[in-house]
Structures are given as C-alpha cells and as structure tokens.
Amino acid sequence: MKTLSSPVVYEFDYSKHAFDEITKEIPNNKMKYILNYPTVYLINDKINKENFSVYVGETTDVRRRTIEHIHRDVQQNNSWEKFASSETSKMLVIGHDHFNKSLTLDIENKLMQYMSSVNAVNYIFNRRLNQQNEYYTSDEVDDIFSKIWQKLHLKNKKLFPAENIIRDSAIFKASPFNKLKEEQLDAKNKIIMKVEEAMNRQETGQLILVEGEAGTGKTVLMSNLFYELEQISNGEEENILLNQISCHLLVNHEEQLKVYKQIAKKLGLIEKEDSDIVSKPTRFINNHEPKEKVDVVVVDEAHLLWTQGKQSYQGKNQLEDILERARVVVAIFDKNQILSREQFWEEKQLLEMAHQANLEGNYIELQNQLRINANQHTINWIRELIDKQKVKNIPNDDNYDLKVFNTVEEMYEAIKDKAKNEDYGISRILATFDWEYKDKTKPENEDYWRVKVEDWSLPWNLQVKTDKRRGIRHKNLSWAEQAQTINEVGSTFTIQGFDLNYAAVIIGPSVKYRDGHLMFDKSASKNKKATQRRKLNNEMQDVSKSLLNNELNVLLTRGVNGLYIYAVDPELQKVLLKAQKGEI
C-alpha cells in the first residue's frame, strides 16, 4: 500500500496584498504546489462570534483567481465585497503533489459537502456540483481529503470540526454533494432527460415514479436532483430547456423537512422563511392553484403523502393534487414504508400508477442496498424476517453486528456504549409504537410518556429537553442528532428517512411469534394511525397488518453497521435467541 504525502495548507488574511505576504512564508520546496499546481482554496469570514460564511473553489492558478475575485467579482456580487472589505476574512490554500484537475474538482466537491454540514457555517458560495468519474488518481480522493481535513481541523476547530462529527450529521448524509453511485447517477440523468422532454413538449401532470426499498439511496438522489435542477434553472449550467424553470421540494416528514431546509438556506436556495420552495405538501397545495402550474416538483418519501382528507388538508389525494399543480412530478416511493391509514393505497392503485409510469418510460427502480454495511446473507435474513415473517438462523458477518439481547437493559447499555464511542457515531434505541404517547399532553402521575419493559423504562422521543446551560444548539437538528435523545426511545415517526450507525430495536407486544411465523396483534399496538380502519371502496377496512409490518420494516433497516434486537413477546424472543445460536 502506497503512502501518500502530506498536503500543503497555508492560511493568510484575505486581501489584495495576500500573495505578497504568503510568498514570503512558503518554503521554496513547497512553493510549486501552491503557485504552479492546481489547488483548492477556501475563503471564510465571521458573520458573528459563532457563525461563518464560506466560499470553496479550485483553480489551476490561485494567484490569478484571487486577483479576479478581489478586483472583478466585488463589482458583480455583494458577497465578494463583504469578503474583500472584512477585517476577519481568511483564505486557506491547499496543495498536494498528486493534485490534477479532476482530483481538485473532487476535493472541492467534498469540501462543499463537509462545509455545508458544519453547524457554524451559515452560508456557502460557489455551489457547483463537480462530481468526477474515474480517473488515474481517483482512488486517492478519500485518503488525501482526510489528511487535508485533519490539517484544517488543527487550524480552526469550530469551522472544521472532527471528521466523524461531520459524517454523522443528517445534513451530510442528505447532502446534494454526496457522490452518486452508478445506479443513482443513471437514474438522475434519466429523470433530467424526461424533464427536458416534458418542458420541450409543454406537457403537464407528468409523473416520474422512482421506487426503492429502505437504504437504496433515495434521499441522496432526490437531494442531488433537486439541487442540480436549481443550479440549471439559475443559469449555473447551460441548458436552454431548463433555464428559469421553477422547482419545489416536498416532504411530508417534519424531521426530514428540517434537514432539507437547512441545506437550502446554507446554499442560498431559499432566502425567506415563508418560502414554500422546500415545504410540506399541504402547504404547497394550499399556496398554488392548478391553473398556475409550477414546472418541477420533487417529492421525497412520497409514500407519506395523504390519500384522504384531514383537518389541514381538504383534498382526497395529495399526489393527485400536486400533479394538477405541476408540469412534472418526480416522486420517490416505497410502499413498504407506508405507516398510517391516511397514507394507505389500495394495491390496485399502486399497480396502476407504476404501470402507467412504466408505459410512459417514467418508471425507475433502485435496487442496490447502500445503507446496510452487511453481507448478502445478513441482508437476506433481515428481509426474510420482514417480508416473509420467517425467523432463520442468524448468519455470520464480519462487517455487521447483528445481535439479540437477553434483556432490554443489556441492549440499552450496549447502545449507550456505542453512542459514547465516536468511532461508532450516532446510535439510538428505537421501538414499535406499542406504548402510549399523546403529543402535547403529559401523562397523569408521571413525568413522561414511557416505553416500559418489566422494571425498565425510558421516555418516548421528543420529550427530554437539552440542558441549555451547556449551550447545546438543537433547534434545527433531527431527533437522532440531539445529544439528549440517547435518553429517549425513538419511533418510526422520528427515525424514518434517517440512518444510524447502530440501531437497537425493542420489538413490542404487537409483534408475536405463533405457528412458525411472525404475526401482528393490533390490540397490543398504541399506533391508532395504523390500527384504526380505513375507508376503501366505500367500505371500512382493516389495513393494520400491512401498516404494522411496515413499521417493523422501517425500524429494522436503520442500522448501518449493526442491529440490536430485543423482543417483548416471549415466543418471539425465544426463537430469536435460538436463531442467534444457529439452532433453528
């Protein structure tokens, strides 16, 4: 294995005299990597004591590019004027003996991904997507970048936090700067081509349906697609058909919406708090009339759209209402993640929707599992449990920690240990919705709504507050990212759409093991959204089995590196322990 040299990183005050000073400081043997080689650079300025604005760029001539920024760009962009006139703005120039044009573009892209995930960064300029394909030194990107980040971290820990903190953030995982895998990239290119066709033919109500199971990279694809469409619309990329199109991103999930809004604000996609460019579907529907169609609507987690009216939504089907208000709708859908009766679709409707999209060439399926870092035998075991309700012997897997615990206390202690160890990152305990929880109310004679297993108990999610004296900023963080949530139990409603490094799942009494397979007992569930009957074809029907199975699916597919399980039902717990010993 070859050893890569250390990157060259120099920091100086950002001004027109900067290079006069820096050339005096750089040793002659390092000078060529700054002045003669391609470089990546980062300009930052303090907005206040806590926050920064940042510009990330790459160039083959950093001296010339800096002069252009200072003399030309200040006249065209107010942001450059702020950088140039500020007494606190700094510039970091990064060089390496292996830098070439493709490698610097990839490093720039990764810096954009990291910087947009830093809490202290409020705003980022130069928002190009520069994902590169394979090239001579493409296998060196991650190693070189880590060395660069380590040096940046030593210079400013607030602006450049430890790498593991960045990589665990929900923004990082949903960032449009994530490098797409081949399947995702093919899907994105096909979608953009179909959008171009629709714009060229002036079509309306076009549905592009993207299906994929949990962990197939749907959110990253949607984030990347929306961002690229925004860049094209704003003239950042040449595309006559898509120039000046209007784009919206919708998601019917409060935690995921927080993440998308943060990304959009940092990248300058939304300026006003009341913007519905990134919003929930009901707000978009209420703000737009069918006769005034927008161009493109991207719907993440489209399986969470409502298929019946509610107090805040007076329609019958949110997807149909969105299609009436857009020329093209790109919808990510996974029928196995529908969790509520008000989101339920009849199988016939789903088949017709997929069939129609397929006939029009508008159907895309993502198949590659990207979340779970396990071998195929482990993935098959999880899918057999969920899809076929069968318990098989748990396979050996050196990469994935799949473990059944004897007690919930032992499992909770194990997940707390994982959460403490920064090498493992964010790990949390989750449960099926089998214990009472009422939003915005408190239980009688107790401090919190709790998940209780014999003598052990822990509060349900979204109840324990942070210690504000410690200055912990949590308002815009997703549930799992908040430090105090290690002392809570997460539900499908807070964890859906996110991943954890390790997920500890309490399978509650609504999931039982009888006659050789799992069965679902709605009488033991407290999730009224799943257990109450739904009107279909003018008849009230029980859809609880499907929805409770989907609840289990969401919970068991959150862990990237490990899944811990404890089952409340004695028969299920017994067979899971036997499966762990290979005795089935």
Side-chain angles (χ1 to χ4, degrees):
M1 184 177 179
K2 60 185 176 182
T3 302
L4 293 170
S5 59
S6 181
V8 178
V9 179
Y10 285 97
E11 181 181 36
F12 47 90
D13 293 334
Y14 179 68
S15 70
K16 61 183 179 181
H17 303 296
F19 272 91
D20 295 335
E21 297 300 320
I22 195 171
T23 52
K24 297 175 183 177
E25 298 179 20
I26 303 175
N28 289 333
N29 64 335
K30 304 291 186 183
M31 188 79 73
K32 63 180 180 181
Y33 302 130
I34 297 297
L35 298 182
N36 299 336
Y37 276 47
T39 55
V40 179
Y41 61 97
L42 188 148
I43 303 166
N44 67 87
D45 188 31
K46 284 186 176 181
I47 299 173
N48 51 47
K49 289 182 179 180
E50 296 291 326
N51 302 108
F52 296 81
S53 57
V54 169
Y55 178 93
V56 179
E58 60 78 38
T59 181
T60 55
D61 187 339
V62 72
R63 186 199 294 270
R64 175 184 56 79
R65 192 74 184 104
T66 303
I67 292 170
E68 289 174 350
H69 286 323
I70 291 173
H71 292 287
R72 184 194 65 190
D73 294 344
V74 291
Q75 300 174 17
Q76 301 173 357
N77 189 305
N78 185 49
S79 301
W80 283 111
E81 171 60 32
K82 290 180 180 177
F83 277 132
S85 60
S86 173
E87 295 181 358
T88 59
S89 59
K90 301 283 185 182
M91 182 172 185
L92 292 123
V93 182
I94 304 161
H96 195 277
D97 60 359
H98 283 205
F99 270 3
N100 54 53
K101 184 66 173 178
S102 293
L103 185 51
T104 55
L105 284 169
D106 261 349
I107 296 293
E108 178 194 35
N109 204 68
K110 284 183 77 71
L111 265 177
M112 293 288 291
Q113 182 184 9
Y114 274 61
M115 297 314 299
S116 61
S117 307
V118 174
N119 284 336
V121 173
N122 272 22
Y123 202 82
I124 299 173
F125 307 94
N126 183 20
R127 298 177 288 271
R128 297 177 301 173
L129 283 168
N130 280 325
Q131 175 178 325
Q132 300 296 296
N133 295 319
E134 288 190 23
Y135 49 91
Y136 177 58
T137 53
S138 59
D139 61 331
E140 298 176 357
V141 172
D142 290 341
D143 287 342
I144 290 175
F145 184 84
S146 286
K147 289 177 181 290
I148 290 169
W149 193 263
Q150 288 167 19
K151 286 204 167 187
L152 294 174
H153 177 66
L154 291 174
K155 289 184 178 294
N156 188 330
K157 291 180 173 59
K158 180 176 285 293
L159 186 56
F160 307 105
E163 195 171 355
N164 66 283
I165 294 174
I166 296 292
R167 296 181 69 85
D168 276 335
S169 72
I171 290 181
F172 180 88
K173 293 169 183 175
S175 170
F177 298 100
N178 275 291
K179 193 166 185 174
L180 299 185
K181 302 295 184 183
E182 185 176 355
E183 183 181 53
Q184 295 169 302
L185 191 58
D186 289 345
K188 185 183 79 168
N189 290 338
K190 181 178 180 180
I191 292 167
I192 290 176
M193 182 184 71
K194 299 300 291 186
V195 172
E196 289 173 340
E197 288 178 6
M199 296 299 113
N200 190 38
R201 296 172 183 173
Q202 297 187 335
E203 295 171 338
T204 61
Q206 287 287 301
L207 173 64
I208 300 173
L209 186 64
V210 184
E211 288 201 280
E213 292 183 348
T216 51
K218 302 185 295 295
T219 290
V220 168
L221 171 60
M222 290 296 98
S223 177
N224 189 286
L225 170 69
F226 174 70
Y227 186 69
E228 181 151 334
L229 289 172
E230 279 286 341
Q231 293 298 91
I232 295 171
S233 171
N234 293 328
E236 298 289 338
E237 298 181 32
E238 290 186 15
N239 188 317
I240 297 172
L241 289 172
L242 303 184
N243 192 23
Q244 299 299 312
I245 62 171
S246 55
C247 302
H248 292 257
L249 175 62
L250 309 180
V251 63
N252 208 18
H253 190 288
E254 191 64 42
E255 299 296 307
Q256 194 68 51
L257 184 64
K258 284 182 186 178
V259 174
Y260 280 136
K261 279 193 169 182
Q262 285 185 79
I263 293 172
K265 286 177 182 177
K266 289 189 179 193
L267 299 178
L269 303 183
I270 54 176
E271 301 291 344
K272 298 179 180 178
E273 286 293 328
D274 61 351
S275 169
D276 69 355
I277 290 174
V278 178
S279 69
K280 283 190 173 182
T282 297
R283 186 173 181 212
F284 171 83
I285 291 167
N286 291 340
N287 284 356
H288 295 269
E289 294 293 331
K291 61 184 178 182
E292 298 174 357
K293 290 178 170 51
V294 303
D295 292 312
V296 182
V297 177
V298 176
V299 186
D300 193 15
E301 310 273 4
H303 39 269
L304 301 182
L305 293 174
W306 295 333
T307 56
Q308 67 177 34
K310 293 188 66 173
Q311 285 183 335
S312 59
Y313 169 63
Q314 301 303 310
K316 295 181 179 180
N317 186 300
Q318 286 187 322
L319 182 56
E320 291 177 2
D321 286 342
I322 294 167
L323 282 164
E324 286 183 356
R325 290 160 173 78
R327 298 175 70 181
V328 181
V329 175
V330 184
I332 278 283
F333 203 92
D334 179 4
K335 66 178 182 179
N336 295 322
Q337 291 196 63
I338 295 172
L339 298 175
S340 168
R341 70 185 188 282
E342 61 226 5
Q343 301 158 356
F344 194 82
W345 291 70
E346 289 186 79
E347 189 68 23
K348 181 182 176 182
Q349 289 178 295
L350 291 175
L351 289 172
E352 286 177 354
M353 182 170 64
H355 178 66
Q356 185 60 36
N358 195 40
L359 282 178
E360 298 169 357
N362 288 354
Y363 179 80
I364 296 169
E365 185 177 11
L366 299 177
Q367 297 179 328
N368 295 332
Q369 175 58 243
L370 302 177
R371 174 182 291 145
I372 299 175
N373 184 26
N375 64 35
Q376 193 58 48
H377 296 297
T378 299
I379 293 171
N380 291 344
W381 185 89
I382 296 171
R383 296 286 6 140
E384 286 265 337
L385 186 69
I386 298 166
D387 301 335
K388 299 180 180 179
Q389 293 82 49
K390 291 288 186 180
V391 180
K392 299 290 184 67
N393 285 327
I394 296 176
N396 294 322
D397 194 332
D398 294 335
N399 294 322
Y400 196 80
D401 188 8
L402 175 53
K403 185 175 180 180
V404 182
F405 283 78
N406 290 306
T407 68
V408 69
E409 290 92 344
E410 290 177 11
M411 185 170 77
Y412 180 50
E413 290 303 315
I415 211 68
K416 283 198 295 183
D417 286 342
K418 293 299 185 190
K420 287 176 186 174
N421 191 327
E422 292 186 346
D423 291 337
Y424 294 109
I426 295 177
S427 299
R428 291 293 183 268
I429 190 166
L430 315 169
T432 52
F433 204 150
D434 296 344
W435 291 267
E436 197 74 46
Y437 177 81
K438 294 180 180 178
D439 191 27
K440 298 178 182 178
T441 65
K442 277 199 170 186
E444 291 183 15
N445 305 319
E446 284 199 271
D447 51 353
Y448 301 114
W449 298 103
R450 287 179 172 270
V451 174
K452 299 178 180 179
V453 180
E454 296 179 349
D455 295 332
W456 180 91
S457 76
L458 210 64
W460 265 126
N461 44 210
L462 304 175
Q463 297 183 93
V464 177
K465 304 301 181 185
T466 57
D467 185 350
K468 293 184 178 179
R469 292 172 298 176
R470 296 179 182 177
I472 300 173
R473 297 172 60 193
H474 68 281
K475 182 180 178 181
N476 294 319
L477 296 178
S478 65
W479 173 80
E481 291 179 284
Q482 298 176 37
Q484 82 282 0
T485 61
I486 190 62
N487 301 313
E488 294 182 323
V489 181
S491 69
T492 51
F493 299 105
T494 48
I495 204 62
Q496 186 175 31
F498 297 93
D499 60 33
L500 298 167
N501 277 349
Y502 283 77
V505 179
I506 303 170
I507 302 178
S510 68
V511 186
K512 293 176 166 60
Y513 187 78
R514 301 290 185 271
D515 301 321
H517 60 84
L518 269 64
M519 54 88 66
F520 298 95
D521 179 6
K522 72 173 187 177
S523 67
S525 173
K526 301 300 181 183
N527 184 3
K528 292 181 181 179
K529 289 178 177 290
T531 58
Q532 289 183 346
R533 297 163 76 86
R534 165 72 195 267
K535 192 171 186 178
L536 297 167
N537 293 328
N538 295 319
E539 291 183 8
M540 298 303 292
Q541 297 185 27
D542 183 356
V543 295
S544 61
K545 180 181 176 181
S546 174
L547 297 178
L548 292 176
N549 193 80
N550 288 353
E551 183 178 25
L552 189 65
N553 175 49
V554 169
L555 296 177
L556 295 183
T557 55
R558 295 306 102 190
V560 174
N561 293 317
L563 170 64
Y564 294 164
I565 298 174
Y566 174 81
V568 172
D569 176 61
E571 290 299 308
L572 179 54
Q573 176 69 359
K574 182 179 177 181
V575 75
L576 286 170
L577 287 170
K578 285 180 67 177
Q580 183 163 256
K581 296 175 183 177
E583 295 177 353
I584 294 179

